[in-house]
Amino acid sequence: MKFLDCWTCFVAIIQARRSGAPPIHGIGRWSLPAMAYHRPKACKAARRGRIRRIMGRRPIDHETFSPLMRDVAKLADVATSTVSRALANPGRVNEKTRCRIIAAVEQLGYVPNAAARNLRVGTSDIVMAVLSQPAVANDASQIIPEVLQSVASTLADSGFNLVIASRGRSAATEKHIPDLAIGGIVRGAIVLGSTELPSYGRRSLAGAGIPIVSLLEDRSAAGIPSVVANDREAMREAVLHLIGLGHRSFFYIAGPAGNYHEIERFAGLAEAVSATGLSDRAIIRHEGARSFQNGFQTGIEAARVYLALKRRPTAAVSCWDDAAIAFMGTVRSQRVAVPGGLSVIGFDGAPVGAFCQPPLTTLQQPTASLGAKAAEILLALLDRDAAEPPVKTVLPCRHLLRASTAAPKGGARKASKRP
Amino acid sequence: MKFLDCWTCFVAIIQARRSGAPPIHGIGRWSLPAMAYHRPKACKAARRGRIRRIMGRRPIDHETFSPLMRDVAKLADVATSTVSRALANPGRVNEKTRCRIIAAVEQLGYVPNAAARNLRVGTSDIVMAVLSQPAVANDASQIIPEVLQSVASTLADSGFNLVIASRGRSAATEKHIPDLAIGGIVRGAIVLGSTELPSYGRRSLAGAGIPIVSLLEDRSAAGIPSVVANDREAMREAVLHLIGLGHRSFFYIAGPAGNYHEIERFAGLAEAVSATGLSDRAIIRHEGARSFQNGFQTGIEAARVYLALKRRPTAAVSCWDDAAIAFMGTVRSQRVAVPGGLSVIGFDGAPVGAFCQPPLTTLQQPTASLGAKAAEILLALLDRDAAEPPVKTVLPCRHLLRASTAAPKGGARKASKRP
DNA sequence: CTGTTAGCGCCTTCAA
DNA sequence: TTGAAGGCGCTAACAG
């Protein structure tokens, strides 16, 4: 018999009551392992005479019926509090009792009701990831999903779950985010990429009193622990390498104005240029990107601008790979030799870069470690026993030196060679 | 004054008690809008003499202190149930009362405690997305993040949240997934891509009694509503188009063996070939991919195999874009003209395809609609009033006809031209 | 239309 | 070491 219909349940409940068994908890006459008794909820409803209601409900499916802690307690012949203890602090329960309880848990397939637990202890084990507007697809585009994946895995290993809060199309969605935090659903938050912290009216994420970690963007100045890649240093080193090869003029394809990565990466370029004693005018800046998405479009436009230049720089530095790839493709189709006439370098480490013609030199973001580190820091913030985590963690990008960069044809002027 | 320290609170609590105010709820003498009373939790603790405990706790921060429904009720001078009703069924409350309540809610910045609500009503508004092993990065690689994004947005518009359950590295993570479902945390699940439904011991996702929607893979045979792209038809049409151009032999770059998309897409190719009366031998199948990840590697290997063929097919059909791109790049570097000597077609619609040399003809998956549709169906399943959703929803891919396909140079034999 | 009341399932304190 | 009891914040049935 797979289903116990509700009428059977009700009859049994009534019988149990007539025979003087305690009416609410533990009907007492039922075979517990068969889960052949209804929940007290229904008992009570029945007692109140709302019989039709119960009968009208779906029959109880043995497959999906989930036992309660008191079922376990009854089967193991202990009190619920003992079961609770056995599961939470196994050390404080008699070994033999504990074994009985564990056996009962296994037999019934008991899983604690998380909602009740959350209510009781006042916290949850859910962590929120806040993504910026066109979310997964925007911002540092390719890498967001990988980072997210890494965050989710790390959290899962510690028993936490990750909910994705995309910043919404509508104000309602926007309101959602602080509400999640304030409503006690969420225990901590990881904010990805360049967004203002969500707020709605007088509720704000920052004011929700939950730990926040910033990922990919440095918010350590605001006191928010941040995990970032070393965008600036990586770019500086890469450009210094180009300068070492003999390049003296640069075409920079800028990302969306005001974006954190754009600012940092350009700063890296500028620092390298000025550190070598070159004038600012060694850099020609191409603006126009509105987002990191559609980088290919930006790359094509940049190529058009580049091709129209009277004195073309010998190196193109792109804020992100997509633009670099499209740029490179376009200028090559106009008979610009890469890397002979023009070196190109991107940023992000998109896998496709290795399969361009020529393979694209780029700076690979440490996606997995970024995500894992941010998750670890959040976990540390949630664990009151853990040490205070660092307010700023910088992880290095990897310089993937490929065939799109070389010494300029015109002649590598003598310059201190850099490794 | 920004902080109210706990001592102040405690004193006030005691005073309130001495003056005969009800000791538990609603201290009564406090200025509510100032939130200058502690929660009953603390009152009780104080009453029980655990004074030191309270004092030892963090002071109450006005910024993060969240008021309860009874605070709102008190401020609006109604009962909590009325507040509850006003927020849930506004129609069943007097207009004037409702306004007072709303005002109080605004004034206090009240946000309902979701954990308590979940416990009480027995459900939550969280939906789970189950991803296959290397999750976001694997499977139909590029498109998973976009699909997920679309799912999340659609759910958010209906007030649902999305938690990401990556299938774990460890058994513990695996166990996690059914537990989430059974533990009442999750109200429904969307399973993405090709995975077995998670299970652990006698707990399984399928047996958790929550609605499940399958996305990207057709599980309608198992009674699970599925949302899929028309992989097979799209591929068939595309190949028929190639045949219409005059191609008679095909090199197929297969995806991971046994994968749903691989099977469907190859079937589409085979159907088109046999429908035109060509022999099976018109297809040369290149196997070897272990996952969709590292498609570039697969493409390169496939190219090597292709180049070694004595009689080279005039068209290459790839199961996914990455492999097609790497394949095309490699054969071109060996002086194979594309599309002159060889037409290449991919699958997925990766944006980078438009910027290859030559731009790659491909079949674009309707990522946004796939995600949105799956979310809608899940929402319908969760809404008992909604109509039974279709068990299988097929969304069409878009044929992006670009420069990598053309009539074979050898001569387009007469064939019924297809549009 | 509104107030009273009784739990949702679990954890935790207190007493035995 | 164990059991009994009470309440976390909210909702919904029921009675005015």
Side-chain angles (χ1 to χ4, degrees), chain B residues 95-116:
Chain B
E95 180 59 22
K96 245 174 77 185
T97 317
R98 201 178 62 79
C99 286
R100 270 215 325 280
I101 291 172
I102 298 298
V105 165
E106 288 300 320
Q107 186 178 346
L108 295 175
Y110 168 72
V111 176
N113 178 316

Side-chain angles (χ1 to χ4, degrees), chain B residues 86-386:
Chain B
L87 297 177
N89 336 28
R92 295 164 62 119
V93 170
N94 187 341
E95 180 59 22
K96 245 174 77 185
T97 317
R98 201 178 62 79
C99 286
R100 270 215 325 280
I101 291 172
I102 298 298
V105 165
E106 288 300 320
Q107 186 178 346
L108 295 175
Y110 168 72
V111 176
N113 178 316
R117 181 176 198 288
N118 290 350
L119 175 58
R120 181 61 231 241
V121 303
T123 65
S124 79
D125 39 13
I126 296 182
V127 165
M128 176 168 60
V130 181
L131 301 181
S132 53
Q133 170 48 314
V136 181
N138 184 17
D139 231 329
S141 41
Q142 308 87 352
I143 77 154
I144 293 261
E146 293 174 33
V147 169
L148 222 45
Q149 161 67 5
S150 152
V151 169
S153 307
T154 311
L155 290 175
D157 288 347
S158 298
F160 282 83
N161 295 108
L162 186 69
V163 346
I164 302 296
S166 319
R167 308 212 51 187
R169 302 183 272 225
S170 60
T173 334
E174 201 72 345
K175 174 173 174 298
H176 219 74
I177 297 176
D179 280 7
L180 271 174
I182 298 170
I185 276 290
V186 159
R187 177 109 164 258
I190 294 181
V191 181
L192 275 106
S194 330
T195 1
E196 293 156 41
L197 261 37
S199 66
Y200 178 81
R202 85 123 103 8
R203 324 192 239 267
S204 72
L205 180 59
I210 60 171
I212 299 176
V213 174
S214 173
L215 182 48
L216 294 181
E217 171 154 353
D218 184 9
R219 284 191 180 84
S220 57
I224 300 174
S226 303
V227 178
V228 293
N230 63 342
D231 292 53
R232 186 187 294 227
E233 287 70 27
M235 184 60 102
R236 189 175 58 217
E237 290 306 314
V239 173
L240 285 175
H241 175 254
L242 286 174
I243 292 172
L245 287 174
H247 294 275
R248 291 295 175 273
S249 52
F250 300 88
F251 184 76
Y252 178 71
I253 306 171
N259 179 278
Y260 169 79
H261 299 286
E262 153 60 22
I263 292 171
E264 288 294 307
R265 292 170 192 178
F266 181 70
L269 168 60
E271 280 179 17
V273 165
S274 70
T276 328
L278 294 173
S279 136
D280 282 358
R281 286 175 311 161
I283 305 173
I284 296 177
R285 214 182 126 94
H286 171 78
E287 315 250 0
R290 288 238 211 77
S291 82
F292 282 119
Q293 226 167 357
N294 294 116
F296 299 113
Q297 202 51 48
T298 305
I300 291 173
E301 282 156 21
R304 229 174 270 140
V305 171
Y306 175 84
L307 291 167
L309 289 177
K310 217 163 205 162
R311 298 200 47 177
R312 295 179 183 165
T314 59
V317 176
S318 173
C319 184
W320 74 118
D321 279 350
D322 286 4
I325 291 167
F327 174 84
M328 189 163 72
T330 313
V331 297
R332 283 186 82 225
S333 71
Q334 300 301 315
R335 268 173 291 268
V336 173
V338 178
L342 170 68
S343 287
V344 179
I345 178 171
F347 206 115
D348 278 351
V352 72
F355 301 93
C356 297
Q357 289 304 327
L360 180 70
T361 293
T362 188
L363 294 158
Q364 184 179 39
Q365 297 211 51
T367 50
S369 9
L370 283 168
K373 196 71 199 170
E376 281 165 24
I377 288 182
L378 189 60
L379 290 172
L381 288 171
L382 293 175
D383 180 2
R384 57 173 57 194
D385 297 333

Side-chain angles (χ1 to χ4, degrees), chain A residues 351-367:
Chain A
V352 72
F355 300 93
C356 297
Q357 288 304 330
L360 180 70
T361 293
T362 187
L363 294 157
Q364 184 180 40
Q365 297 212 51
T367 50

